[in-house]
Amino acid sequence: MKLTQNLYGTSLALLTDLYQITMAYGYWKSGLTEKQAVFNLFFRRNPFQGGFTIACGLEYVIDFLSNFRFTQDDIDYLATLKGNNGAPLFEKAFLEYLKEMKFDLDIEAIPEGTVVFPQEPLVRVKGSLIQGQLIETPLLNIINFQSLIATKSARMCIAAKGESVLEFGLRRAQGIDGGLAASRAAYIGGCTATSNVLAGKLFDIPVRGTHAHSWVMSFDTELDAFKAYAKAMPNNCVFLVDTYDTIEGVKNAIKVGKWLGEQGFKMAGIRLDSGDLAYLSIQARKLLDEAGFQDAAIVASNDLDEHIINSLKQQDAQITVWGIGTKLVTGNDQPALGGVYKIGAVKENDHWDYKVKLSEQAIKISNPGILQVRRFYTDNLCMADMIFDEENPPQGINTIIDPLDGTRRKNIDESIAHKDLLQPIFKKGQLVYQIPNIHQIRENAQKELNTLHSSILRFTNPHQYPVGLEKGLYDLKTHLIMKLRHLE
Amino acid sequence: MKLTQNLYGTSLALLTDLYQITMAYGYWKSGLTEKQAVFNLFFRRNPFQGGFTIACGLEYVIDFLSNFRFTQDDIDYLATLKGNNGAPLFEKAFLEYLKEMKFDLDIEAIPEGTVVFPQEPLVRVKGSLIQGQLIETPLLNIINFQSLIATKSARMCIAAKGESVLEFGLRRAQGIDGGLAASRAAYIGGCTATSNVLAGKLFDIPVRGTHAHSWVMSFDTELDAFKAYAKAMPNNCVFLVDTYDTIEGVKNAIKVGKWLGEQGFKMAGIRLDSGDLAYLSIQARKLLDEAGFQDAAIVASNDLDEHIINSLKQQDAQITVWGIGTKLVTGNDQPALGGVYKIGAVKENDHWDYKVKLSEQAIKISNPGILQVRRFYTDNLCMADMIFDEENPPQGINTIIDPLDGTRRKNIDESIAHKDLLQPIFKKGQLVYQIPNIHQIRENAQKELNTLHSSILRFTNPHQYPVGLEKGLYDLKTHLIMKLRHLE
């Protein structure tokens, strides 16, 4: 699969913030090249004011890390950078060190398609501080965006209530692989196909498309245009009916649909791309049904999102396929998931020294530890998640405490069915994970959504799924904060 | 320069919507491979409720088109696609035709960095209908995103009133080249540097970066961390002071700044990344000044945008450098520019048959013609733009008419200084344009912004710059609409 360095014809080792390299240099100069650390990648709020997030992007991360190395070209570029006194920023010996560096981190991660919640580590990185730092930016770039879009896609599909949602966003996507990665994430989140042919080729996603307004405009009449299209592609006919007048367009589609039937083919449907989609789809359905095209799909597009789909459903719009572009591939109302990557612990001699970053806002204080997430289930629905330190796993009864409100606690019996979400991906830089294919990931996402109570799935004021820190971890965090604030 | 196919290690010919290829097939099957058309690429509203847009992305477009060809691999993939009867979607002879196809269009475009307005063609494509169609999606993808971000960047820089704006957005950008292209566009729009090292390498943009919270957390105390950093990189010291307590952090930075001075180096500044940036920057400035660090920069970051910069300026915040991430590289409040690509004319025998696409909304009715934009200037400020049909250039007095309100008209004397904005880029597929370097493009953008009256630059209810259709073109468009609506 071509995803990162193999898709790009260039090394991506420099796809990072400069401060990661200046810090790496700092550690190297300070003799701390062997210093070990743990980083946890997590986000603080579900996107779109929703109740859940779909983890996505891990296969890209694996591809990126598997190919992570500095080329001579990268080194030559770094050698040109200068500090504020005009001298080179980096010593040659450090650049040599970078060039010889081999990726050897331990990485654990939550598989793609899994439902995840704020505060939970999606990726955990253990090993040299330097390498952990260098990969921070690309990991955030990949996971933030793909998780955002997979979640948006899932929301669109929930609104469509099982009807097909097609992703049409390439022309408005943020850059070339802003489009490619969005097509992948949208498929994982539940879309049935994309218009993006390269995404289809690269990722094995079904592709869909028929014709645009320009096709109709380049013939003398709409009827001529539909006829010509039907002759050329009788097995792929969804007529776009709103170039001039939608209802007339439907009538022209019906005429050509009848001709197609006579030739032994089937008109797949029509598409509405403007106007009052509720009214027009109901009128179109009537006309199509009366003409014997009960099976013909009515595809609708035009700046749709989950809320407009909801509203159209409430108006009994007769739309059977939803084509969504801009508002899906950009995230629209929230174009970035605010994932962060924080140090959980640093090794001092042979023990882990746990770390928190302070903030006046409780939500911005990071969690210390080598973190794992345990999910508990009752009746096949997940009921709570516990974040705990793998070096100090819980004993006996599990008490979880809301990291933002210490008075919200929950006791969970050990005997309740559960599973740990983070799985080993790399051990000392060696891939130990069996990468599922994209269809398996998509199925996994569907199954995962079925483990959520409907109150978590709703768009308005969704139920806040309980995620807590295991009591020992909570107490440790409190202690570290108090110590840093000189309160104990 | 590696921008598209040379950056990606793969053919990007399939980076398009499937319907472009099914339409190409339709034209081919209908014997219309030689059919000529003109397409105009334009947008309908300035982004961010602003008064202007900066055109950006042309160099990517040139790179894409210069490398446009279908590989055997692309053809093999297309051969796998099937219609709704299970038969192949495309005949082999058509796939052969695609494989042999050589890019040979005429392309005119407005240079990057130029200020542009709604309705104006940024790119004009003339030549075979098939090729014009195939390149629609990638052209929109590239121009929409980069123009969006260059415009956002210009707005941030206007708010910063000449102070330096740094782009830090890679970790929250939409995909890998969502980050790369954003760094490029942000620089063109006015940013002085990026944190994105690969963008620095690929595009020759200055890069900046020092250290993160994690650096501070991986030492026992903040002071130890600052000292270690100063020893390692004495010529690149901007201390991040808010890991634990901002004011204490400033004091620690001052201590290490003094040490740096003793070593013959200069502390470049401090960075604030949380808390009340107005209050903290004023306190920090006092402490720094009292300690003799009047020259030390105060860099601020944390979810900034043009409105927050404005507000901080009004509060007399003592910030001298603005670090902006998420809200710059995603567009934030508007993550997509809604550019479209519409047929202006189709050749019938030897004459151009002018085309419009109807809509119930006047703003969505396209403009017919082989369009050019003429900009008029008085006292070095631009005063109005005229969109006209190059095949029927205006004669005598220029009357321009608002396409959305026929009663808004303006007469412009021919003698007024003017220039035509679209320039030849490709002739019959051959590049005829001298591509400026990125620094020249950035300078061009600065000069262009200086041609705008301040009322157009403001964020709240900006003045609407007059853009009209030349009277002959307006009358032609009206005639075509009336004819299609069977009103004449």
Side-chain angles (χ1 to χ4, degrees):
Chain A
M1 193 70 83
K2 288 180 169 186
L3 300 174
T4 59
Q5 285 90 337
N6 293 322
L7 171 57
Y8 287 81
T10 184
S11 157
L12 296 181
L14 296 184
L15 186 79
T16 195
D17 292 306
L18 181 61
Y19 78 9
Q20 313 289 9
I21 304 179
T22 53
M23 284 191 282
Y25 181 66
Y27 291 122
W28 178 85
K29 278 289 277 186
S30 310
L32 300 173
T33 49
E34 299 305 315
K35 183 122 179 163
Q36 304 285 298
V38 171
F39 295 86
N40 299 301
L41 187 158
F42 62 98
F43 58 90
R44 297 179 180 125
R45 290 183 188 85
N46 286 311
F48 317 118
Q49 306 190 300
F52 69 92
T53 299
I54 306 269
C56 194
L58 181 59
E59 189 176 358
Y60 266 63
V61 166
I62 291 171
D63 190 68
F64 176 82
L65 295 175
S66 300
N67 293 283
F68 182 76
R69 68 188 62 86
F70 289 88
T71 61
Q72 187 58 47
D73 208 39
D74 294 332
I75 298 300
D76 292 345
Y77 171 71
L78 292 176
T80 67
L81 299 181
K82 301 218 170 359
N84 60 9
N85 61 350
L89 213 45
F90 304 113
E91 281 178 30
K92 276 191 181 164
F94 169 70
L95 297 177
E96 258 328 290
Y97 164 80
L98 281 188
K99 201 177 161 216
E100 296 305 317
M101 188 158 78
K102 283 196 175 54
F103 170 70
D104 62 3
L105 296 172
D106 290 343
I107 309 265
E108 314 245 334
I110 298 180
E112 293 190 275
T114 306
V115 165
V116 289
F117 302 97
Q119 303 283 342
E120 298 180 346
L122 308 192
V123 182
R124 190 180 84 200
V125 172
K126 188 156 78 172
S128 94
L129 191 48
I130 289 183
Q131 285 194 19
Q133 207 69 70
L134 288 170
I135 67 169
E136 170 181 1
T137 312
L139 262 57
L140 284 170
N141 174 277
I142 293 167
I143 301 275
N144 272 332
F145 179 53
Q146 295 198 35
S147 300
L148 182 84
I149 302 306
T151 307
K152 193 69 169 173
S153 168
R155 291 167 61 87
M156 306 270 187
C157 294
I158 289 167
K161 297 187 175 167
E163 285 166 4
S164 189
V165 177
L166 310 177
E167 178 271 306
F168 284 171
L170 178 58
R171 64 188 55 203
R172 303 279 167 81
Q174 299 206 340
I176 292 172
D177 78 14
L180 290 171
S183 295
R184 177 180 188 272
Y187 182 68
I188 287 172
C191 283
T192 44
T194 179
S195 66
N196 182 338
V197 188
L198 187 57
K201 176 187 167 193
L202 291 175
F203 307 138
D204 189 26
I205 306 175
V207 290
R208 293 280 180 281
T210 49
H211 74 84
H213 297 117
S214 55
W215 175 270
V216 176
M217 290 162 72
S218 65
F219 289 84
D220 280 341
T221 69
E222 186 181 61
L223 190 61
D224 288 348
F226 288 174
K227 275 185 192 162
Y229 187 84
K231 275 185 195 161
M233 295 220 110
N235 62 354
N236 186 42
C237 283
V238 175
F239 297 111
L240 178 59
V241 293
D242 70 333
T243 305
Y244 304 122
D245 177 291
T246 303
I247 298 300
E248 290 305 311
V250 176
K251 290 177 183 167
N252 283 331
I254 287 170
K255 281 180 200 161
V256 180
K258 286 182 175 163
W259 177 85
L260 273 170
E262 289 159 18
Q263 314 303 312
F265 293 100
K266 200 169 170 178
M267 173 169 73
I270 61 160
R271 178 158 75 97
L272 308 170
D273 188 42
S274 63
D276 184 328
L277 297 177
Y279 172 83
L280 291 170
S281 66
I282 291 167
Q283 297 303 313
R285 185 78 271 160
K286 267 190 205 158
L287 291 169
L288 288 167
D289 287 356
E290 282 165 15
F293 293 100
Q294 286 85 354
D295 290 349
I298 298 180
V299 186
S301 50
N302 190 18
D303 269 348
L304 299 177
D305 68 10
E306 64 270 46
H307 306 292
I308 298 172
I309 296 174
N310 239 347
S311 161
L312 285 166
K313 287 263 177 199
Q314 278 168 7
Q315 298 168 70
D316 292 320
Q318 297 297 302
I319 295 163
T320 54
V321 178
W322 306 81
I324 310 192
T326 316
K327 291 184 176 177
L328 171 50
V329 300
T330 64
N332 191 43
D333 45 319
Q334 184 182 326
L337 180 67
V340 294
Y341 181 94
K342 296 288 172 192
I343 280 195
V346 172
K347 209 162 220 173
E348 294 294 347
N349 304 317
D350 267 349
H351 75 280
W352 287 107
D353 192 9
Y354 289 85
K355 297 285 182 177
V356 295
K357 186 218 162 284
L358 287 191
S359 170
E360 288 168 32
Q361 298 163 266
I363 198 173
K364 290 188 106 177
I365 299 179
S366 61
N367 295 317
I370 295 104
L371 302 177
Q372 173 60 281
V373 182
R374 186 163 293 170
R375 179 162 294 172
F376 295 91
Y377 296 86
T378 44
D379 302 331
N380 297 318
L381 289 183
C382 55
M383 49 89 72
D385 287 4
M386 173 174 72
I387 301 172
F388 66 100
D389 177 26
E390 249 186 13
E391 300 277 307
N392 297 287
Q395 309 282 340
I397 286 178
N398 297 297
T399 301
I400 62 171
I401 307 177
D402 184 335
L404 304 184
D405 177 358
T407 65
R408 293 184 65 184
R409 298 177 177 221
K410 210 179 177 96
N411 292 323
I412 303 170
D413 195 282
E414 268 194 311
S415 64
I416 290 180
H418 61 263
K419 71 172 178 192
D420 290 352
L421 301 186
L422 285 113
Q423 297 184 14
I425 310 296
F426 288 95
K427 287 197 171 168
K428 302 251 169 274
Q430 293 302 308
L431 186 66
V432 295
Y433 179 70
Q434 178 87 34
I435 305 172
N437 70 40
I438 195 168
H439 312 293
Q440 293 166 327
I441 297 171
R442 184 169 179 274
E443 269 171 44
N444 181 37
Q446 295 303 309
K447 277 188 205 149
E448 283 279 315
L449 287 166
N450 287 332
T451 66
L452 295 184
H453 189 270
S454 60
S455 60
I456 298 168
L457 298 173
R458 74 172 174 243
F459 300 150
T460 309
N461 298 330
H463 177 65
Q464 196 190 321
Y465 179 79
V467 176
L469 302 185
E470 181 273 327
K471 186 169 182 309
L473 179 63
Y474 181 86
D475 291 343
L476 169 70
K477 179 176 177 179
T478 306
H479 163 70
L480 290 172
I481 296 169
M482 302 288 273
K483 210 170 89 177
L484 283 168
R485 288 187 176 151
H486 310 294
L487 295 172
E488 65 173 53
Chain B
M1 195 70 83
K2 288 180 167 186
L3 300 174
T4 60
Q5 284 90 338
N6 293 321
L7 172 57
Y8 288 81
T10 183
S11 158
L12 296 181
L14 296 184
L15 185 80
T16 195
D17 293 306
L18 181 62
Y19 77 9
Q20 312 289 10
I21 304 179
T22 53
M23 284 192 282
Y25 182 67
Y27 291 122
W28 178 85
K29 278 290 276 188
S30 309
L32 299 173
T33 49
E34 300 305 316
K35 183 122 179 162
Q36 304 286 298
V38 171
F39 295 85
N40 300 301
L41 186 158
F42 62 99
F43 58 90
R44 295 177 181 128
R45 289 183 190 86
N46 287 311
F48 318 117
Q49 305 190 299
F52 68 92
T53 300
I54 305 270
C56 193
L58 181 59
E59 190 176 357
Y60 266 62
V61 165
I62 291 171
D63 190 68
F64 176 83
L65 295 175
S66 300
N67 292 284
F68 182 76
R69 67 189 62 86
F70 290 88
T71 62
Q72 188 58 47
D73 207 40
D74 294 333
I75 298 301
D76 292 346
Y77 171 73
L78 291 176
T80 67
L81 300 180
K82 301 218 168 4
N84 61 7
N85 61 350
L89 212 45
F90 304 112
E91 280 178 31
K92 276 192 182 162
F94 169 71
L95 297 177
E96 259 325 293
Y97 164 79
L98 281 188
K99 202 177 158 218
E100 297 304 318
M101 188 157 78
K102 282 195 177 55
F103 170 71
D104 62 3
L105 296 172
D106 291 342
I107 309 266
E108 313 245 334
I110 297 180
E112 293 189 274
T114 307
V115 164
V116 289
F117 301 98
Q119 303 282 342
E120 298 180 346
L122 308 193
V123 182
R124 190 181 84 198
V125 172
K126 188 157 80 172
S128 95
L129 191 47
I130 288 183
Q131 286 194 18
Q133 207 69 70
L134 289 171
I135 66 169
E136 171 181 1
T137 311
L139 262 57
L140 285 170
N141 174 277
I142 292 167
I143 300 277
N144 272 331
F145 178 54
Q146 294 198 36
S147 300
L148 182 83
I149 302 306
T151 307
K152 193 69 170 173
S153 169
R155 291 167 61 85
M156 306 270 187
C157 294
I158 288 167
K161 298 187 175 165
E163 285 165 5
S164 189
V165 177
L166 309 177
E167 178 270 307
F168 284 171
L170 178 58
R171 64 189 55 202
R172 304 279 168 78
Q174 299 206 341
I176 292 173
D177 79 14
L180 290 171
S183 295
R184 177 180 188 273
Y187 181 68
I188 288 172
C191 282
T192 45
T194 178
S195 66
N196 182 338
V197 189
L198 187 57
K201 177 187 166 190
L202 292 174
F203 307 138
D204 188 25
I205 307 175
V207 290
R208 292 281 179 281
T210 49
H211 74 85
H213 297 116
S214 56
W215 175 270
V216 176
M217 290 162 73
S218 66
F219 289 83
D220 280 341
T221 68
E222 187 181 60
L223 190 61
D224 288 349
F226 288 175
K227 277 184 192 161
Y229 187 84
K231 275 185 197 163
M233 295 218 110
N235 62 355
N236 186 41
C237 283
V238 176
F239 297 112
L240 179 58
V241 293
D242 70 332
T243 305
Y244 304 123
D245 177 292
T246 302
I247 298 300
E248 289 305 310
V250 177
K251 290 177 183 167
N252 284 330
I254 287 171
K255 281 180 200 161
V256 180
K258 286 182 177 165
W259 178 85
L260 273 169
E262 289 158 18
Q263 315 304 309
F265 292 100
K266 200 169 170 178
M267 174 169 75
I270 61 160
R271 179 157 75 98
L272 308 171
D273 189 42
S274 62
D276 184 327
L277 297 177
Y279 172 81
L280 291 171
S281 66
I282 291 168
Q283 296 304 313
R285 186 75 273 161
K286 268 188 205 158
L287 291 170
L288 288 166
D289 287 356
E290 283 165 15
F293 293 100
Q294 287 85 355
D295 289 351
I298 297 180
V299 186
S301 50
N302 190 19
D303 268 350
L304 299 177
D305 67 11
E306 64 269 47
H307 305 294
I308 297 173
I309 296 175
N310 240 345
S311 161
L312 285 167
K313 287 261 177 201
Q314 279 168 7
Q315 297 167 69
D316 292 321
Q318 297 296 303
I319 295 163
T320 54
V321 178
W322 306 82
I324 310 192
T326 316
K327 292 185 174 174
L328 172 49
V329 300
T330 64
N332 190 45
D333 44 317
Q334 185 182 324
L337 180 68
V340 295
Y341 181 95
K342 297 288 174 192
I343 280 194
V346 172
K347 209 161 219 175
E348 294 293 347
N349 304 317
D350 267 348
H351 75 279
W352 287 107
D353 193 8
Y354 288 85
K355 297 286 181 177
V356 295
K357 185 216 162 287
L358 286 191
S359 170
E360 287 167 32
Q361 298 162 267
I363 198 172
K364 292 187 102 177
I365 300 180
S366 61
N367 295 317
I370 296 104
L371 301 179
Q372 173 60 281
V373 181
R374 184 162 296 171
R375 179 162 294 170
F376 295 91
Y377 296 86
T378 43
D379 301 332
N380 297 318
L381 288 183
C382 56
M383 48 89 71
D385 286 5
M386 173 175 73
I387 302 172
F388 66 99
D389 177 26
E390 249 186 13
E391 301 276 307
N392 297 287
Q395 309 283 340
I397 287 178
N398 297 297
T399 301
I400 62 170
I401 308 176
D402 184 336
L404 304 184
D405 177 358
T407 65
R408 293 185 63 185
R409 297 176 178 221
K410 209 179 177 93
N411 293 324
I412 302 170
D413 195 283
E414 264 194 313
S415 65
I416 289 180
H418 61 263
K419 71 172 179 193
D420 290 351
L421 300 186
L422 285 114
Q423 297 184 15
I425 309 295
F426 287 96
K427 288 198 171 167
K428 302 250 168 274
Q430 294 302 307
L431 185 66
V432 295
Y433 179 69
Q434 179 86 32
I435 305 172
N437 71 40
I438 195 168
H439 311 291
Q440 293 167 328
I441 296 171
R442 183 169 179 275
E443 270 171 46
N444 182 36
Q446 295 304 308
K447 276 187 207 151
E448 283 280 316
L449 287 165
N450 287 332
T451 66
L452 295 185
H453 189 271
S454 59
S455 60
I456 297 167
L457 298 173
R458 73 171 175 243
F459 300 151
T460 310
N461 298 329
H463 177 66
Q464 198 192 320
Y465 179 80
V467 176
L469 303 184
E470 182 274 326
K471 186 169 182 308
L473 180 61
Y474 181 88
D475 291 344
L476 169 70
K477 178 177 178 178
T478 306
H479 163 71
L480 290 171
I481 296 170
M482 302 286 273
K483 209 169 90 177
L484 283 168
R485 286 186 176 151
H486 308 295
L487 295 172
E488 65 173 54

